[in-house]
Amino acid sequence: MGTVITGSAGGIGAATRARLEERGERVIGVDVRDAEVIADLSSAAGREAMVAGVAHACGGVLDGLVAGAGIAGGPGELVGAVNWFGALATLEGLRPMLARGTAPAAVAISSNSTTCQPHSAELVDAFLAGDEEAALALAARDATGIGVYPATKLALARWVRRHAVQSDWIGAGIRLNAVAPGLIHTPMTADGIDFVLSLGDTYPVPVDRAGLASEVAALIDLLLGADGGFFCGSVVLMDGGTEAALRPDDWPLAPS
Ligand code: NAD
């Protein structure tokens, strides 16, 4: 029993962990360091170790899951391997344990880069098609990973929307949603925050500050818990107004 948080040693993961533990909930952290389950989600072997380690720690029964492990840059194939294939293996691999839980819920951490940064539709499709070797070969063309990042997060948001409403998820009683944070103050962004806040109209942040990991944790907590019981397949933006400022009329896109 308990809630698994991948990326539990990082900014948003650690803040979520602290919030749940403050009221006595059991958290099983998964990370490459400082976690109950040490696993590198960039590789098939690491993902298998993650599923086995979590099963051992929780006795095969989970109530909550936060798929949060991620990296912002690096070789494109690594960004794809961690952010997309690692998150996918987490959601798929731990789903059977959630199905045995009490009022189970899962939250994936997407990003407002899905709609605020350019992405390669070909790469998003390749991720969703699921052939890891082929998709990572495409991702490897981006040496910085900066273009791969929004594609991983868009694939994740689409996967959540596609699967949340299916028999394996809500049909099995598991609510699945995603959060899409904007600029959040964490170790991932610490060096770039001032630069991003100086971009002005290119990347406006109307609240005029970076968000806090604790603010994202509060949203994740809502989506995991009983007060979030009507959220299913939602991708919830929390970005200080960036998306609204850049694309005020792009929501909703009603069927024509
Ligand atoms: P962070 O760097 O503080 O934390 C990320 C955690 O993931 C770290 O503890 C790291 O060790 C872990 N991790 C990285 N690679 C891993 C691997 N191969 N296997 C297992 N664990 C691994 O970053 P954060 O800002 O807390 O990011 C958490 C999530 O939120 C990420 O998915 C990120 O893409 C997303 N996000 C962050 C922001 C932001 O502005 N900080 C905005 C939108 C989305």
Side-chain angles (χ1 to χ4, degrees), residues 17-18 26 31 33 38 45 57-58 62-63 76 94 119 132 141 143 152 155 160 198 209 217 220 223 244 249:
R17 163 171 220 144
R26 178 171 182 229
D31 208 301
R33 61 183 170 87
I38 302 292
C58 74
L62 280 180
D63 305 319
L94 302 187
H119 64 271
E132 183 161 3
R141 293 183 196 168
T152 63
V160 163
S198 75
R209 66 171 174 86
I220 292 171
L223 294 174
D249 297 332

Side-chain angles (χ1 to χ4, degrees), residues 149-167:
Y149 182 87
T152 63
K153 296 300 184 177
L154 186 48
L156 196 51
R158 283 202 185 141
W159 192 92
V160 163
R161 286 171 57 82
R162 288 179 185 180
H163 288 263
V165 296
Q166 302 292 334
S167 56

Side-chain angles (χ1 to χ4, degrees), residues 9-12 31 39-41 68 109-110 149 153 181-182 184 186-189:
I12 295 171
D31 208 301
D40 180 351
L41 298 178
I109 306 190
S110 179
Y149 182 87
K153 296 300 184 177
I184 307 299
T186 70
M188 177 182 278
T189 54

Side-chain angles (χ1 to χ4, degrees), residues 6-15 30-34 37-43 46-47 50 66-72 78 81-83 86-87 108-113 149 152-153 156 179-190 193 203 210-211 213 216 220 238:
T6 71
S8 59
I12 295 171
V30 176
D31 208 301
V32 289
R33 61 183 170 87
D34 302 327
V37 177
I38 302 292
D40 180 351
L41 298 178
S42 69
S43 72
R47 296 170 201 149
M50 176 271 296
V66 180
I71 53 175
L78 186 60
V82 177
N83 292 12
I109 306 190
S110 179
S111 157
N112 80 340
S113 65
Y149 182 87
T152 63
K153 296 300 184 177
L156 196 51
V179 293
L183 180 66
I184 307 299
H185 214 311
T186 70
M188 177 182 278
T189 54
I193 282 192
Y203 189 92
V216 184
I220 292 171
M238 177 191 266

Side-chain angles (χ1 to χ4, degrees), residues 57-178:
C58 74
V61 182
L62 280 180
D63 305 319
L65 168 63
V66 180
I71 53 175
E77 65 273 30
L78 186 60
V79 176
V82 177
N83 292 12
W84 166 246
F85 288 104
L88 184 62
T90 302
L91 291 161
E92 287 184 330
L94 302 187
R95 193 205 62 79
M97 299 179 214
L98 286 166
R100 295 182 209 110
T102 304
V107 175
I109 306 190
S110 179
S111 157
N112 80 340
S113 65
T114 49
T115 50
C116 297
Q117 288 178 34
H119 64 271
S120 154
E122 186 190 9
L123 187 53
V124 176
D125 288 345
F127 283 145
L128 286 164
D131 179 338
E132 183 161 3
E133 201 178 326
L136 295 187
L138 201 55
R141 293 183 196 168
D142 177 0
T144 66
I146 288 170
V148 173
Y149 182 87
T152 63
K153 296 300 184 177
L154 186 48
L156 196 51
R158 283 202 185 141
W159 192 92
V160 163
R161 286 171 57 82
R162 288 179 185 180
H163 288 263
V165 296
Q166 302 292 334
S167 56
D168 275 2
W169 288 89
I170 200 58
I174 313 164
R175 289 183 309 96
L176 170 64
N177 295 284

